Amino acid sequence: MKIIRIILFPIVPIYFVITWLRNRLFDLGIKSSKSYDFPIICVGNLSTGGTGKTPMIEYLIRLLKDEKSVATLSRGYKRKTEGFILADENANADTIGDEPFQFHRKFQEVTVAVDADRQNGIKALRALKLQPEVILLDDAFQHRKVKAGFNILLTAYNNLYYKDIVLPSGNLREPRSGANRADLIVVTKCHKDISEGEKKKITSKLKIKSNQQLFFSYVDYAVDVLSESDSLELTKLPKFTLVTGIANANPLVDFLVEKGLKFDHLEFSDHYNFRTTDIEDLASKSLIITTEKDYVRLSSHKSLDGKLYYIPIEIKIDNAAQFNAAVKSFIS
């Protein structure tokens, strides 16, 4: 992969200019961007993935759901349907995508929808009889046809955007200057004990604007792994098979190693579509631990009943009161 990225380096300037010019046309109003008179919060990143958008959406749901009627709108990556789909009792990972289905399973009081055309999705949501008061746009930072009122940009601690370059040799979807559109920037997947000195260094490197706020967060793993009907204490697990189909499994692997747990790791690409042969192989394992995103796709296979569990996570934000106040100030 590194060799391919080196070979494709001459394309980097071309990609940079195209994406920079596209953003500039939106900034100047030459390309149109639709604004709305109700709260829309966009959660996104500059990179191709692995920054923790799903846990952030869940954080915002928990923050707002008791005060406002909330809807999430995602593209529904790798779903087997098209157009606008509203999650209902028949929804699954194939119809709406794994991450939206995860939202739907966990938050029954929240409206979950998917549509690649974000403008059309917002219009359809606002046409519902039970009209959402707040819409959370998942992974929509580059969808400039919608002008969200509030933008939360995520960048992972181990791959901060100031260290990166654009595709295809780097991981950035657009130039680093795109970060200027963010209201809040969150450095995700930090160490719990990150020092104030390191925070200051990162703040300086990210070149935060006077109108922006920067926060740091880390992943908090649960003490038990769960299935639909059972739970097991994490630290007492016998040797197991870890299955991941996410952009960056390193933080989870490091956490499990630090706990002294014994496991074999089967690592797949992000949003991997498990094949019949994969399921047959997994069915031969005695105990499988996976991420919640992978669980919503794997749990439909009956051959994995009784041996498939996931480890729940939440994000914890330093200065959470300040973060929450910024979000609620926008909502109000």
Side-chain angles (χ1 to χ4, degrees):
M1 181 62 74
K2 290 183 178 180
I3 295 175
I4 294 175
R5 290 195 171 202
I6 293 172
I7 293 172
L8 294 176
F9 186 78
I11 301 175
V12 168
I14 300 171
Y15 185 93
F16 181 99
V17 170
I18 291 172
T19 53
W20 180 88
L21 181 60
R22 174 181 180 270
N23 279 329
R24 190 63 180 152
L25 292 175
F26 275 110
D27 294 339
L28 294 174
I30 297 172
K31 291 179 72 70
S32 62
S33 183
K34 185 173 176 58
S35 299
Y36 298 86
D37 59 358
F38 58 91
I40 295 181
I41 299 176
C42 169
V43 174
N45 52 24
L46 296 184
S47 67
T48 52
T51 57
K53 294 183 296 294
T54 300
M56 177 56 72
I57 290 288
E58 293 188 356
Y59 182 98
L60 294 172
I61 290 173
R62 293 186 181 97
L63 177 64
L64 301 173
K65 66 183 178 64
D66 294 333
E67 300 177 14
K68 300 286 184 179
S69 59
V70 177
T72 68
L73 179 60
S74 311
R75 174 176 49 163
Y77 185 59
K78 286 198 173 181
R79 61 185 169 120
K80 297 179 180 179
T81 57
E82 295 182 356
F84 178 81
I85 302 288
L86 192 66
D88 58 18
E89 64 276 6
N90 298 315
N92 55 49
D94 287 338
T95 60
I96 62 173
D98 48 17
E99 290 158 341
F101 185 50
Q102 181 176 321
F103 302 149
H104 180 59
R105 289 176 71 251
K106 294 176 74 171
F107 304 103
Q108 293 295 313
E109 67 272 51
V110 169
T111 302
V112 175
V114 294
D115 198 332
D117 183 338
R118 300 306 206 282
Q119 282 193 16
N120 184 69
I122 292 169
K123 181 180 178 181
L125 283 170
R126 292 289 284 184
L128 295 174
K129 185 176 180 179
L130 297 176
Q131 188 181 81
E133 297 172 288
V134 180
I135 295 178
L136 305 178
L137 296 182
D138 178 23
D139 194 14
F141 196 72
Q142 284 74 40
H143 290 266
R144 299 294 305 275
K145 289 184 179 180
V146 168
K147 188 174 183 180
F150 201 74
N151 285 288
I152 300 175
L153 180 69
L154 310 182
T155 182
Y157 171 82
N158 63 352
N159 191 26
L160 296 163
Y161 60 75
Y162 77 82
K163 301 177 180 179
D164 209 347
I165 60 174
V166 297
L167 295 164
S169 295
N171 294 312
L172 299 185
R173 299 170 173 176
E174 60 173 299
R176 288 171 285 190
S177 58
N180 295 336
R181 301 196 306 274
D183 296 285
L184 304 184
I185 298 175
V186 183
V187 178
T188 61
K189 303 184 180 181
C190 297
H191 300 296
K192 286 186 179 182
D193 56 353
I194 183 172
S195 68
E196 290 301 320
E198 191 170 6
K199 290 179 185 178
K200 289 180 181 179
K201 181 179 178 181
I202 291 173
T203 302
S204 174
K205 293 288 188 179
L206 291 178
K207 295 181 169 58
I208 303 301
K209 305 298 182 182
S210 59
N211 63 317
Q212 297 176 318
Q213 295 184 67
L214 177 66
F215 296 88
F216 295 82
S217 71
Y218 64 88
V219 175
D220 188 35
Y221 294 96
V223 296
D224 293 330
V225 294
L226 307 178
S227 69
E228 292 295 330
S229 58
D230 194 15
S231 66
L232 300 173
E233 188 173 340
L234 180 66
T235 56
K236 295 182 179 180
L237 293 178
K239 185 175 180 180
F240 59 88
T241 300
L242 175 67
V243 176
T244 61
I246 57 178
N248 181 14
N250 291 336
L252 174 57
V253 171
D254 291 344
F255 169 77
L256 296 174
V257 170
E258 288 172 5
K259 291 292 183 182
L261 297 169
K262 304 297 182 183
F263 58 92
D264 297 317
H265 185 194
L266 297 180
E267 187 172 14
F268 299 90
S269 59
D270 196 17
H271 298 277
Y272 180 76
N273 286 321
F274 292 95
R275 300 170 298 183
T276 301
T277 52
D278 298 321
I279 301 303
E280 290 173 350
D281 178 53
L282 292 177
S284 67
K285 312 299 182 184
S286 57
L287 178 62
I288 303 165
I289 306 300
T290 190
T291 68
E292 190 168 5
K293 184 170 79 170
D294 294 309
Y295 181 86
V296 299
R297 284 177 288 143
L298 290 170
S299 59
S300 62
H301 297 280
K302 298 300 182 184
S303 60
L304 304 182
D305 285 354
K307 60 181 65 179
L308 179 67
Y309 293 79
Y310 69 91
I311 178 167
I313 65 170
E314 287 187 25
I315 60 168
K316 301 293 184 181
I317 300 176
D318 280 0
N319 298 321
Q322 183 180 344
F323 178 92
N324 296 350
V327 173
K328 290 190 174 184
S329 176
F330 165 69
I331 297 299
S332 63

